[in-house]
Every structure is written in structure tokens, then in C-alpha cells.
Amino acid sequence: MSKKAELIEKYAQDLKQKCGVTPDMDLLEKVTTGCGPSIYNKDSSTVASSSESELLTVKNNFLIKKLGLTDKDNLDQGIDKVMDQYGKSNRTKYRAVVYYLLTLHFKKESIYNK
């Protein structure tokens, strides 16, 4: 099994066990692929939910640039909801899982169906 396939399985387990979500494996794979090489780096593969600058990066680079949302789409509330769903006390929040949950929250799955 490739390293990427192993990571996708790990992300699927996190979605099931920590978020209570049964993942759409096709969408999860596309979101993971969209994260690029960051998934292989220990630091960039996770989101530090307590860091304002990290959350701003998620907002600007993913929600605005990738998903095409604007600030009037209540981005901060969406991020807060996803972080709560993943578990505030859960220290390891994988970037691909956070992005997957944000994609579902904002109903932007169509971005990955092109």
C-alpha cells in the first residue's frame, strides 16, 4: 500500500472515530490529493486549531482560494464548527480531515468533481 493510501485510511478512521462521519472515500482521496505534499510533513499535515495564524491560513488558502468562498459566507463560524466536531481536546487534527469536513460543511463537494 502506498504512503498516500495509508494516510487516507488513517484520515478515514479519524473521520469515523473522532468526528462521527462515514467518509465518502472518493471525496476524501480528492481532498487529500489537493493538499499536495503537505500531508507527508509532520508539521504541515496537521492544523493547530489554537493558532490564529494557522486558522487564517486555512481560511485564506483553502476556503477562499480553493473553495471560492467569501467572508460573507460565515467562514469563521464554519471553521469553529468543524474544530468542535473534530474535538477541541484532540491535539492532532489532520489537515486533510479538516479540509474534508469544511468541504462538506460549505457544501462544496462539486469543486472536487471537475
Side-chain angles (χ1 to χ4, degrees):
M1 185 183 302
S2 72
K3 180 70 173 161
K4 182 174 152 188
E6 289 175 22
L7 289 170
I8 291 170
E9 280 301 314
K10 184 180 355 181
Y11 301 153
Q13 287 303 313
D14 254 30
L15 283 163
K16 289 176 193 166
Q17 296 169 356
K18 297 177 182 171
C19 306
V21 172
T22 300
D24 171 338
M25 293 305 288
D26 185 48
L27 179 61
L28 180 57
E29 183 176 348
K30 289 175 181 176
V31 171
T32 302
T33 300
C35 290
S38 69
I39 62 171
Y40 303 109
N41 179 294
K42 185 173 176 11
D43 184 50
S44 63
S45 68
T46 58
V47 173
S49 61
S50 59
S51 165
E52 284 300 318
S53 65
E54 178 76 17
L55 296 179
L56 191 59
T57 298
V58 169
K59 182 176 169 179
N60 289 328
N61 292 356
F62 184 69
L63 295 178
I64 294 172
K65 290 181 183 172
K66 177 69 179 175
L67 298 186
L69 298 168
T70 63
D71 259 336
K72 61 182 178 225
D73 291 313
N74 297 318
L75 303 183
D76 292 327
Q77 291 90 333
I79 291 171
D80 287 344
K81 184 170 189 256
V82 163
M83 292 305 167
D84 284 341
Q85 183 178 5
Y86 209 152
K88 291 272 188 191
S89 63
N90 177 20
R91 288 183 43 89
T92 304
K93 293 178 180 70
Y94 292 108
R95 184 170 304 279
V97 173
V98 169
Y99 286 5
Y100 177 89
L101 292 170
L102 286 168
T103 300
L104 293 180
H105 175 79
F106 288 106
K107 297 177 179 27
K108 288 293 193 171
E109 298 92 331
S110 63
I111 295 287
Y112 292 98
N113 292 332
K114 294 179 178 174

